[in-house]
Amino acid sequence: MAALLAERAASLSLAGRHSTTLRSFEGFRASAPRFTVHVCRQPAQTVRRPPLRIECARVGGVEIPNQKRIEYSLQYIFGVGHTTAKAILVETGIENKRTRELSEEELTNLREEVDKYTVEGDLRRFNALNIKRLRDIGCYRGRRHAVVQSLCAHLIHLFCLQLFADCSWLNTN
């Protein structure tokens, strides 16, 4: 009996698939709530799925939280701080409401405005190239970023701590 049920579940290709994640073109991540399919001898019935829930919106290549206000959820994007988030809201004319309450038009305007700024990968690349340039010219700020020197200084510090810990003549108690 168990083998028959396993064959039937495999033929329906629903076994092992409890939830699915769907991505829409609008930039929302949505997931269908979990449901189970019971295999029995009754004729096949169509499975009614509950409506999709919007979990978070995608802006600037980052999924910003759905339950927070836009001013704070924009700060999840690397390169957007408190001041920049406020400026984006002023320029788009969107009131500071929760992300889940945004309409498609407002979300599109928000994306267009965030794209005007240097954020995420481009900003990280820009910072890395600046640090590399400082290291190459050998200036003080560049030497502080040198991996070998910082590692050596750290190891020397640890060695000195261990050396002084072993010296009993220092302890004059």
Side-chain angles (χ1 to χ4, degrees):
M1 184 67 177
L4 179 64
L5 286 175
E7 280 181 0
R8 203 141 200 217
S11 69
L12 289 175
S13 72
L14 293 175
R17 189 174 78 194
H18 297 293
S19 71
T20 56
T21 301
L22 308 172
R23 293 195 183 266
S24 66
F25 293 106
E26 293 82 24
F28 284 113
R29 186 177 75 185
S31 67
R34 294 179 179 225
F35 65 95
T36 56
V37 176
H38 300 287
V39 180
C40 57
R41 294 182 179 226
Q42 295 177 353
Q45 299 175 357
T46 58
V47 178
R48 287 190 137 176
R49 292 185 182 180
L52 294 176
R53 296 174 301 157
I54 295 173
E55 290 180 358
C56 55
R58 192 164 183 84
V59 177
V62 177
E63 292 178 346
I64 60 176
N66 204 20
Q67 71 279 5
K68 295 190 178 189
R69 295 200 176 273
I70 303 166
E71 182 180 343
Y72 299 107
S73 56
L74 281 177
Q75 294 178 31
Y76 279 67
I77 302 170
F78 181 76
V80 177
H82 189 69
T83 306
T84 310
K86 279 185 172 181
I88 289 172
L89 288 178
V90 168
E91 290 175 19
T92 56
I94 299 173
E95 65 181 73
N96 192 17
K97 53 187 174 183
R98 302 217 181 258
T99 307
R100 66 175 172 255
E101 298 168 356
L102 285 175
S103 67
E104 279 300 317
E105 181 182 323
E106 291 173 332
L107 193 60
T108 305
N109 291 340
L110 200 62
R111 280 194 202 106
E112 290 171 357
E113 190 62 36
V114 169
D115 287 340
K116 293 179 185 176
Y117 293 89
T118 305
V119 293
E120 282 299 320
D122 294 336
L123 184 59
R124 292 179 200 271
R125 195 174 308 109
F126 180 75
N127 290 342
L129 287 174
N130 280 341
I131 291 171
K132 184 179 183 309
R133 178 181 54 84
L134 291 172
R135 275 190 302 190
D136 290 345
I137 63 175
C139 69
Y140 175 72
R141 286 168 52 201
R143 281 185 279 135
R144 287 181 55 100
H145 282 284
V147 175
V148 176
Q149 288 179 353
S150 64
L151 181 61
C152 289
H154 182 68
L155 290 176
I156 289 170
H157 177 71
L158 290 177
F159 178 74
C160 288
L161 286 177
Q162 185 63 36
L163 181 68
F164 287 122
D166 290 341
C167 294
S168 60
W169 56 272
L170 285 175
N171 297 331
T172 57
N173 292 344

